[in-house]
Amino acid sequence: MSERLLPVAMTTLVTTDLIGVTRGRSFPTDELAHYQTAGCGWVPANSALTPQDIIASRNPWGAYGDLRLIPDMSSRVTVGNGPHASAPALDFIHADICETDGRPWGACPRTLLRNEVERYQTELGLQVNAAFEHEFNLACGDAEHLAFSLEAQRQGAEFGGWLLSALRAGGVEPEMFLPEYGKHQYEITCRPALGVAAADRAVNVREITREIARQMGLGLSFAPKTAEHAVCNGVHLHVSLQNMAGQPMFYDAGTTNGLSTVGQHWAAGVLHYLPALCALTAPTPVSYERLQPHHWSASYACLGQRNREAALRICPTVSVGGKSVAEQYNLEFRAMDATASPHLAMAAVLIAGRLGIEQRLALNAITDEVPDSLNEEQRQARGIVALPASLTQALECLRQNEALVEALPTALLDTYFALKTEELTLTEQLSPAHLCEHYARLY
Ligand code: GLU
Ligand code: MG
């Protein structure tokens, strides 16, 4: 008599690609040792996939070549089944894309981020501490509850409880699950992590959130704007730098806004390169439906203290209860959304900040007013420039930006420009309303 079969537990090696989509290949978990060192196969042209699932026609790779996904064992995420009792456990490991002989592959965004984090350590003696916060829309019932209300919280409470439990199991260290300003809009925040682990954690938040929604049969979208009049979903990247002993380096109690000299140069670098960075941090046509004045997102390159209309914000710190201000002090990059690759976007922001430190750029673009309410002369006097109004403009800013083009691997940039050009062609006929609906389904 043959035995009744049981499903085989699977582990997946994943890469989160240039458009922020997590992809990979699975094998039986009991064969993990076999895949640990040499990984599994991968295809160069996969990196040229558009969100529309079409490989960009003019990509540098074509049908040629083979790669490996080599797992970083320290990044494994395992989450047992949740609300759906028979759902298979989620078990994946972040991987770096390598050549078949193990050399790093030029267009791997995770490798780019690791290299940049290492540069901070070796050249500047600094460690990067970062956290991504995510907003999303959850279709959990028809009732439209009021912003931030307990009712809205209760409507999402079953989902939120499972989500926090799954995030904890996956090592994500969640902080808060909260109802946001929009209808059916929620936010999830987590504790910071050092270096590459911070971007891995952003992926883990997205994938675990999707997993819980899938198991509960709920629709979910992280897209920057899910309907023409919807409140937008941002991704805010919180960054602080530490010395190698772990002491915070962005804070100086002796300055008016608390920002240290190194923090000022870093912020100046991010603001200086921001119009070009947008091509990587707000990287889809629909991103520009969000990056507009009065959306609490970002529309000008300026730093604000607690100002939610500023692209870069000095976050509030609290001294109540004797908490250390220096340890909380961080800068929040707000010109980002979930159509961006966390690894690529974080690497790009870090490159801009490092260039600011190396070039000792001066920080002038500071305002606590809504930058849109200043007149052009006032903005010019402070060096506050408008962010690109479209992906086309942002890509052009990046193309023209010699420092960033030089800092990013050619293979990665060529692939990126090819796929973004294709994406623009594929979406050019869509009205703003249709763009929102289209990307709401994709992200
Ligand atoms: N929803 C806003 C955004 O698109 C952010 C609101 C907030 O400050 O939490 O970025
Ligand atoms: Mg929020």
Side-chain angles (χ1 to χ4, degrees), residues 274-296:
L274 189 54
L277 286 181
C278 285
L280 305 165
T281 63
T284 49
V286 76
S287 300
Y288 297 84
E289 300 296 320
R290 170 176 171 263
L291 289 192
Q292 294 186 6
H294 312 290
H295 279 55
W296 286 17

Side-chain angles (χ1 to χ4, degrees), residues 120-206:
Y120 267 72
Q121 293 173 356
T122 52
E123 293 175 20
L124 305 173
L126 294 169
Q127 304 189 83
V128 180
N129 196 31
F132 292 72
E133 62 183 62
H134 286 86
E135 293 169 335
F136 58 92
N137 288 97
L138 181 70
C140 56
D142 296 330
E144 294 203 335
H145 294 307
L146 299 179
F148 318 116
S149 67
L150 183 59
E151 281 236 47
Q153 180 82 58
R154 293 301 300 159
Q155 192 169 32
E158 190 181 349
F159 175 86
W162 281 113
L163 176 60
L164 292 176
S165 152
L167 289 170
R168 278 185 173 173
V172 169
E173 297 186 289
E175 280 179 336
M176 301 270 269
F177 172 74
L178 53 131
E180 253 288 355
Y181 181 48
K183 299 298 174 206
H184 308 295
Q185 190 189 30
Y186 293 87
E187 175 170 324
I188 182 81
T189 63
C190 59
R191 302 219 153 78
L194 288 177
V196 176
D200 288 349
R201 188 168 271 193
V203 172
N204 301 345
V205 166
R206 294 177 198 184

Side-chain angles (χ1 to χ4, degrees), residues 352-389:
R354 173 173 54 76
L355 292 172
I357 294 173
E358 287 170 1
Q359 297 163 4
R360 307 188 71 74
L361 292 183
L363 179 62
N364 300 316
I366 305 181
T367 183
D368 276 338
E369 290 169 86
V370 175
D372 193 45
S373 67
L374 302 171
N375 63 38
E376 196 46 42
E377 205 179 312
Q378 291 168 315
R379 282 196 294 266
Q380 264 181 17
R382 295 182 221 183
I384 298 176
V385 300
L387 298 187

Side-chain angles (χ1 to χ4, degrees), residues 38 61 92 94 99 107 110 132 162 166 175-176 191 210 227 234 289 316 394 443:
W61 316 105
F92 63 86
H94 295 275
E99 305 281 357
R110 195 168 186 270
F132 292 72
W162 281 113
E175 280 179 336
M176 301 270 269
R191 302 219 153 78
R210 289 187 176 114
E289 300 296 320
Y443 286 90

